[in-house]
Amino acid sequence: MNVQELFDLKGQVALITGGGRGLGEQMAEVYAEMGCDLALCSRKKENCEEVAERLTREYGIKAQSYTLDVTNETQVEEVVGQVLADFGKIDVLVNNSGATWGASVEEMPLEAWNKVMNVNVTGTFLMSKAVGKHMIDQKYGKIINIASAAGLTVRPPEVTNTIGYTTSKAAVIHFTKDLAIKWARHNIYVNAIAPGMFRSKMTAGTLAQKEKAVLETIPLRKIGDENMLKGAAIYLATKASDFVTGTVLSVDGGSTL
């Protein structure tokens, strides 16, 4: 098998949560470029619609958008069922939907903590459970959880002050490892990507206030751009990673060293 075949996604179907902007859109684009059909899901369907229409036009793949709150189990099951009806299968699941909240520990509202944990941890569980049932039946699947470098390390409050987010991403990392060993027997690969600081809507506030301090924690002294996650995303979705499961791939400029 040559390298192009290893990274080919023609005939595959990927479901990406949070696929309408930011890192989700970046991953959707590289999958489309490699021939993958796409189900893009978000609470804001209009964002996914724009991305789906653009990728269909530019790459000739099939892409559809869906309204989805990953914390609502009924909605998760309904949307996964609709994706299966529309596409016939799901080969790749990317659990990318995420939430954060900036506040000191002593001032963080319980409501904020619960929101972050529900989206980042419970949402990852519910999506993996619903899609995993199908993958078990088809005896194949690739699950990619978007964790974070923040789940692998800690920083002083002068750099980041988001304890709910960091705790939730550490949970996603352990969930990834545990699920990988549970479902390896079904030929389902479960891995995580731990992005460092990328420019996105979620990080805009932090970078506006603390970009200099953040850069000092990154050995490569740069912030992630729109191309820096694509290699990891395509690797973990394709045959190129067929001997890799339960791993966390840090794409962080060295910030977790």
Side-chain angles (χ1 to χ4, degrees):
M1 186 176 295
N2 61 40
V3 172
Q4 288 183 329
E5 290 173 323
L6 281 176
F7 288 93
D8 186 26
L9 283 174
K10 290 185 180 67
Q12 301 280 291
V13 176
L15 189 164
I16 304 175
T17 67
R21 61 179 175 85
L23 300 183
E25 181 178 1
Q26 293 170 29
M27 291 183 284
E29 177 142 24
V30 72
Y31 289 172
E33 186 176 347
M34 300 307 292
C36 191
D37 293 330
L38 300 168
L40 305 179
C41 307
S42 174
R43 286 183 300 114
K44 297 181 179 179
K45 184 182 178 184
E46 59 271 18
N47 292 342
C48 292
E49 284 179 345
E50 292 177 9
V51 174
E53 289 172 4
R54 179 177 68 82
L55 296 180
T56 297
R57 183 174 61 253
E58 292 182 6
Y59 297 102
I61 52 96
K62 177 181 178 180
Q64 292 185 210
S65 59
Y66 304 83
T67 302
L68 176 61
D69 176 356
V70 296
T71 69
N72 184 319
E73 184 171 19
T74 299
Q75 196 174 119
V76 165
E77 292 176 349
E78 289 175 351
V79 169
V80 169
Q82 188 59 54
V83 171
L84 290 172
D86 292 340
F87 290 87
K89 62 175 183 171
I90 300 170
D91 301 291
V92 180
L93 168 65
V94 181
N95 285 312
N96 172 66
S97 287
T100 189
W101 191 283
S104 63
V105 180
E106 62 272 21
E107 295 177 355
M108 179 173 285
L110 177 60
E111 179 183 1
W113 171 274
N114 286 339
K115 175 186 177 180
V116 172
M117 296 299 288
N118 284 338
V119 173
N120 296 354
V121 184
T122 304
T124 296
F125 161 70
L126 291 175
M127 288 301 301
S128 298
K129 177 183 177 184
V131 175
K133 291 177 182 178
H134 164 70
M135 289 180 169
I136 288 171
D137 288 341
Q138 73 178 9
K139 297 180 175 58
Y140 175 80
K142 299 262 185 173
I143 296 176
I144 303 169
N145 297 322
I146 304 305
S148 172
L152 290 165
T153 189
V154 293
R155 294 284 183 258
E158 292 77 18
V159 180
T160 54
N161 215 356
T162 55
I163 196 167
Y165 180 78
T166 58
T167 303
S168 71
K169 291 303 186 178
V172 168
I173 287 168
H174 190 82
F175 176 85
T176 298
K177 293 175 179 290
D178 203 358
L179 189 61
I181 202 166
K182 300 293 194 294
W183 284 356
R185 67 196 63 186
H186 302 298
N187 201 34
I188 298 172
Y189 303 78
V190 188
N191 293 291
I193 299 174
M197 186 61 74
F198 278 72
R199 296 192 189 279
S200 70
K201 184 177 180 180
M202 184 181 289
T203 63
T206 297
L207 289 175
Q209 298 175 26
K210 304 176 179 180
E211 182 164 342
K212 183 178 179 181
V214 169
L215 282 170
E216 290 176 356
T217 70
I218 304 172
L220 288 179
R221 295 294 190 268
K222 57 186 175 183
I223 308 297
D225 66 24
E226 68 276 9
N227 292 310
M228 291 178 179
L229 201 71
K230 291 180 177 179
I234 197 70
Y235 171 64
L236 292 178
T238 60
K239 293 181 179 66
S241 59
D242 273 0
F243 201 45
V244 178
T245 197
T247 195
V248 180
L249 179 52
S250 295
V251 185
D252 63 4
S255 66
T256 53
L257 294 174

